[in-house]
Amino acid sequence: MSFRYGRRTAWVLSEVTVDIGDGEVVVVRGRNGAGKSTLLQMMAGVLQPTRGRILDRPSRVGWVPERFPAEQPFTVSGYLAAMAALHGAGSPAPWIDRLGLAPFRTVKLAELSKGTAQKVGLAQALICRPQLLVLDEPWEGLDAAARDLVPDIVAEIVAAGGSVIVSDHRGDTARLPEATEWTVDGARVTPERAEKARTGADTPWLIEVAAGDGPAAVAALRAAGHEIIRVRA
Ligand SMILES: Nc1ncnc2c1ncn2[C@@H]1O[C@H](COP(=O)(O)OP(=O)(O)OP(=O)(O)O)[C@@H](O)[C@H]1O
């Protein structure tokens, strides 16, 4: 796919071909302005490619923008309850508690600090139980406690067979050690795995197990120090 914001503007992404598998975590790296957010918004379905298309996007996608648009006339619990109803999901209370939003239930979104608003942005994306979670620079806006929760949340989505794509321009990738890395540069996207394949390193193995044994097999392989590249149901 290719993307540009206007007919006379330069291509932000040009002839990009990437794929993200079930159970895969991708970290998108690149300098400021390289096109990371643009790529993530296309993955989330917020932007449509100017050319090309995206195939097999799951139906439940959670998108956490780099900056949650808090200029809305709702309280935290009113907004999250409405988002839950929209997605046919259960009560947002577990996410309100887990993300430390309980003291802000009755506060209007526009009155929240940037970090708290960002947590509302994270909660609204998780409420729909996303099969694909798109996190734009999650380490930037969140407070330390919420940042520390992100790897656990990512692991839970992966364990359920979902996929996660995260942009990161500061190099906080160490928080997601099993992630595949994509680099955006010069309107192109280079997946790390393609480079590894070219150098012949890290030949992956395909292991098949009975459906019900999947989560336990993944946990056992991880515990033994193996990297799981993807899980397909
Ligand atoms: N709405 C827009 N209209 C026009 N140009 C845009 C728009 N949003 C982004 N751009 C331009 O597209 C290019 C890629 O921007 P993008 O935000 O995707 O980069 P990024 O890698 O996410 O940067 P950062 O790390 O600073 O967030 C930049 O040149 C930017 O100025």
Side-chain angles (χ1 to χ4, degrees), residues 5 12 30-39 66 136-137 169:
Y5 281 94
V12 175
R31 60 174 172 73
N32 283 336
K36 300 180 296 296
S37 289
T38 304
L39 178 65
E66 193 171 2
D136 201 348
E137 301 283 352
H169 82 268

Side-chain angles (χ1 to χ4, degrees), residues 102-180:
F104 305 98
R105 276 175 206 276
T106 57
V107 178
K108 292 253 173 69
L109 295 179
E111 290 161 16
L112 297 173
S113 70
K114 185 169 175 269
T116 307
Q118 209 56 25
K119 288 196 271 193
V120 176
L122 184 56
Q124 62 78 28
L126 294 167
I127 278 170
C128 73
R129 292 171 292 111
Q131 297 149 311
L132 171 65
L133 177 65
V134 181
L135 296 168
D136 201 348
E137 301 283 352
W139 323 117
E140 286 291 307
L142 293 169
D143 61 26
R147 272 204 295 268
D148 290 346
L149 275 178
V150 170
D152 292 346
I153 291 169
V154 168
E156 286 163 26
I157 288 175
V158 167
S163 317
V164 182
I165 181 162
V166 183
S167 67
D168 171 26
H169 82 268
R170 287 200 319 190
D172 263 322
T173 323
R175 289 174 179 267
L176 300 171
E178 287 171 5
T180 305

Side-chain angles (χ1 to χ4, degrees), residues 10-149:
W11 292 98
V12 175
L13 296 169
S14 175
E15 297 180 16
V16 168
T17 303
V18 283
D19 77 296
I20 176 162
D22 296 343
E24 186 171 3
V25 180
V26 171
V27 172
V28 180
R29 306 285 302 275
R31 60 174 172 73
N32 283 336
K36 300 180 296 296
S37 289
T38 304
L39 178 65
L40 263 62
Q41 287 177 66
M42 286 206 289
M43 302 289 279
V46 178
L47 290 175
Q48 300 306 318
T50 312
R51 290 188 189 153
R53 58 201 171 123
I54 296 185
L55 301 174
D56 300 330
R57 185 191 290 113
S59 55
R60 296 198 308 273
V61 178
W63 176 52
V64 184
E66 193 171 2
R67 221 188 114 84
F68 176 71
E71 301 77 21
Q72 305 183 61
F74 309 110
T75 63
V76 168
S77 59
Y79 172 75
L80 292 176
M83 294 306 285
L86 191 69
H87 293 295
S91 161
W95 284 115
I96 289 178
D97 291 339
R98 191 165 175 196
L99 292 172
L101 288 169
F104 305 98
R105 276 175 206 276
T106 57
V107 178
K108 292 253 173 69
L109 295 179
E111 290 161 16
L112 297 173
S113 70
K114 185 169 175 269
T116 307
Q118 209 56 25
K119 288 196 271 193
V120 176
L122 184 56
Q124 62 78 28
L126 294 167
I127 278 170
C128 73
R129 292 171 292 111
Q131 297 149 311
L132 171 65
L133 177 65
V134 181
L135 296 168
D136 201 348
E137 301 283 352
W139 323 117
E140 286 291 307
L142 293 169
D143 61 26
R147 272 204 295 268
D148 290 346
L149 275 178

Side-chain angles (χ1 to χ4, degrees), residues 190-206:
T190 311
E192 162 200 71
R193 262 183 294 134
E195 282 174 352
K196 279 186 178 170
R198 272 200 296 280
T199 61
D202 291 332
T203 306
W205 279 53
L206 173 67

